[in-house]
Amino acid sequence: MNYTAVELIERKRDGLELSSDQIRWLISAFTSGEVTDYQMAAMAMAVYLRGLDHQELATWTDAMLHSGETLDLSGLEGPKVDKHSTGGVGDKVTIPLLPMVRACGVLAPTLTGRGLGHTGGTRDKLEAIPGLSTSLSSEQFMEVLRSHGMVYGGQSENLAPADAKLYALRDATGTVPSLPLIASSIMSKKLAEDLDGLVLDVKTGAGAFMPDPARARELAATMVGLGKAHGVRTTAFLTTMESPLGRQVGNASEIKESIAVLRGEGPGDLWEVVLALGAEMLLLADRAPDEPRARSMLTEAVRSGEALAVFEKVVEAQGGDPRVVENPSILPLAPRRAEVVAPAPGWVTGCHALTVGVAATRLGAGRERKEDSIDPGVGVTILAKPGDRVERGQALAEVAYREQSRWQSVRGLLAGAWSIGDEPPEPVPLMGERIRSSEMD
């Protein structure tokens, strides 16, 4: 096959279809280094602008999936179910959810990702725990999973390596919101896990990569279809990301909030998402007869302390300091504090998730460039959420920062994240439509 990267870039740029052979050559050549990062960045932009049709996307996803190793979990007894979110501000659901599901008898392997754009990555959050590593070989991944029934993995060099390379490029090239690139990225990793079931949390709203509900639904249906085509029972939820989820935005602070959930504490909106997704995971695993029973099982796993015990053991197994469970103060924390205050009395009518996410990224909680490092100790604590009554001068948020220059650069931006009105806002439903592979034609 005598293809060149330039030829294929131009073809997709001009809106023409790529053949299955062309796509498989492209992904293979990118994995091997024959196609350079800058060439694949150009292709990513062409795909962002022109899209991929159904057949192109199926081939692209399959090529990514088979660009390296895949996991074989057939030797493990019990149903294997994972969860994935398209990303949102303050979205730390995976961290408390997996131990809860494991405590209910479901194997919960996961491959976590780095932060993309204005949203934090679960992998970055977990690595705020001193010593914890998500960079596990396939052998290490399997050992933790066998021993504890769950694992917080990250993409290894050998598991869907084409996606790992492209994932980093998307963050630095303005192509993160591309529907086919999101769908193929998520599903190539998840299908490589040899799962029995998969639950997808597809965000929509101001802080989501797919703010338009119609586009978010298209993404959800696309991924459910890819899961069904590979024999994996898949469900997608559409959830609202207008405001940050929970009250913490920042890597170490979101670990603290996750531990609070595992103690039966934590904010109500975070609990709502955790229970909805967790209940669906138990249903896909045939561990509960209906949703109310599944929710009851998850709640009992927290009340009994079993879910927290699972989390502590997995943290230790992955090299992390298990003392973080009893003493979250060992997590890194930036030394400086500032407040964002209400300019007038009234009702909080909005807390713009995108603005908060961008501000946290610029403080150092996320990456604006591929090579940027993460500061796990910086972040924003949301003190006032939509529906709260505030007085003039009352703190809306507390900011933890390290560098004065970074705080000054986001001070005005962050102050504009809150809107205050004379009347309380109408509640916005958090959980939206549910799309199940079993209900698709």
Side-chain angles (χ1 to χ4, degrees):
M1 293 177 286
N2 297 316
Y3 303 126
T4 68
V6 173
E7 169 193 354
L8 301 189
I9 292 166
E10 290 175 342
R11 186 173 179 83
K12 179 49 61 178
R13 178 200 66 192
D14 295 340
L16 301 176
E17 181 182 341
L18 298 177
S19 71
S20 293
D21 284 345
Q22 288 171 332
I23 291 172
R24 292 188 188 282
W25 175 86
L26 175 71
I27 300 301
S28 176
F30 176 54
T31 305
S32 69
E34 181 180 350
V35 171
T36 65
D37 280 2
Y38 61 81
Q39 288 173 320
M40 199 60 176
M43 177 59 81
M45 183 58 73
V47 170
Y48 173 78
L49 296 172
R50 294 295 191 173
L52 297 173
D53 68 20
H54 178 76
Q55 184 56 52
E56 285 178 303
L57 178 57
T59 303
W60 187 288
T61 303
D62 194 64
M64 300 275 274
L65 165 63
H66 290 104
S67 63
E69 297 177 355
T70 57
L71 296 174
D72 181 4
L73 307 186
S74 60
L76 300 179
E77 293 186 7
K80 300 166 283 292
V81 183
D82 193 9
K83 166 265 174 188
H84 186 86
S85 169
T86 56
V89 181
D91 181 5
K92 72 282 295 176
V93 170
T94 295
I95 299 167
L97 173 60
L98 263 60
M100 292 166 64
V101 169
R102 174 55 197 152
C104 294
V106 178
L107 294 172
T110 195
L111 295 175
T112 60
R114 300 291 183 192
L116 281 175
H118 62 275
T119 70
T122 299
R123 192 171 181 181
D124 299 318
K125 295 167 189 178
L126 286 163
E127 291 180 356
I129 299 173
L132 188 142
S133 174
T134 59
S135 299
L136 307 176
S137 67
S138 297
E139 293 76 15
Q140 291 171 323
F141 183 97
M142 291 298 298
E143 178 57 32
V144 176
L145 183 59
R146 285 192 193 96
S147 299
H148 303 288
M150 66 154 286
V151 57
Y152 295 118
Q155 270 188 274
S156 71
E157 292 182 358
N158 298 324
L159 196 69
D163 177 65
K165 293 181 68 176
L166 183 55
Y167 193 92
L169 286 181
R170 287 167 54 211
D171 195 22
T173 57
T175 56
V176 168
S178 168
L179 187 153
L181 294 182
I182 292 174
S184 61
S185 174
I186 292 171
M187 296 306 291
S188 64
K189 291 192 293 283
K190 295 306 175 183
L191 295 172
E193 292 180 51
D194 190 23
L195 299 171
D196 297 309
L198 174 62
V199 174
L200 301 163
D201 180 3
V202 180
K203 303 294 187 185
T204 183
F209 292 129
M210 289 287 173
D212 176 53
R215 289 278 288 166
R217 191 191 186 285
E218 182 183 359
L219 173 63
T222 298
M223 292 192 293
V224 171
L226 287 170
K228 182 176 182 179
H230 282 80
V232 177
R233 300 171 69 185
T234 306
T235 299
F237 287 85
L238 295 176
T239 66
T240 301
M241 182 45 65
E242 294 291 346
S243 298
L245 186 61
R247 292 189 176 272
Q248 299 295 338
V249 180
N251 296 290
S253 61
E254 291 190 48
I255 292 293
K256 290 182 181 180
E257 193 163 57
S258 298
I259 293 171
V261 170
L262 288 168
R263 292 189 178 284
E265 304 162 3
D269 59 344
L270 180 55
W271 262 102
E272 184 177 353
V273 177
V274 167
L275 286 177
L277 301 184
E280 187 68 17
M281 292 174 75
L282 296 189
L283 292 175
L284 290 178
D286 295 322
R287 288 296 184 186
D290 51 42
E291 188 169 347
R293 175 57 182 154
R295 286 173 174 260
S296 176
M297 290 168 64
L298 293 165
T299 303
E300 175 58 24
V302 170
R303 189 203 64 78
S304 67
E306 189 174 352
L308 187 63
V310 170
F311 176 77
E312 183 175 11
K313 290 174 183 175
V314 171
V315 166
E316 185 171 21
Q318 295 189 216
D321 189 339
R323 295 177 301 164
V324 72
V325 170
E326 298 298 330
N327 184 18
S329 66
I330 69 174
L331 291 163
L333 186 62
R336 296 178 173 178
R337 297 288 179 281
E339 289 184 342
V340 177
V341 301
W347 295 89
V348 176
T349 57
C351 178
H352 198 257
L354 175 59
T355 302
V356 175
V358 169
T361 296
R362 293 179 182 174
L363 287 169
R367 297 177 183 83
E368 295 185 88
R369 298 175 302 171
K370 175 182 172 182
E371 61 271 19
D372 286 349
S373 59
I374 292 286
D375 184 340
V378 302
V380 180
T381 299
I382 310 295
L383 301 176
K385 302 193 76 169
D388 290 346
R389 173 78 188 182
V390 296
E391 301 301 325
R392 185 176 185 274
Q394 182 176 333
L396 302 172
E398 181 181 80
V399 180
Y401 66 98
R402 198 172 304 277
E403 300 173 29
Q404 185 68 26
S405 60
R406 285 183 180 260
W407 162 237
Q408 291 300 331
S409 72
V410 304
R411 187 173 184 174
L413 174 71
L414 198 53
W418 281 263
S419 53
I420 297 173
D422 296 330
E423 300 291 335
E426 290 292 327
V428 177
L430 188 57
M431 304 302 299
E433 184 180 2
R434 175 168 46 193
I435 303 171
R436 287 177 165 141
S437 59
S438 59
E439 299 169 356
M440 296 182 75
D441 294 333

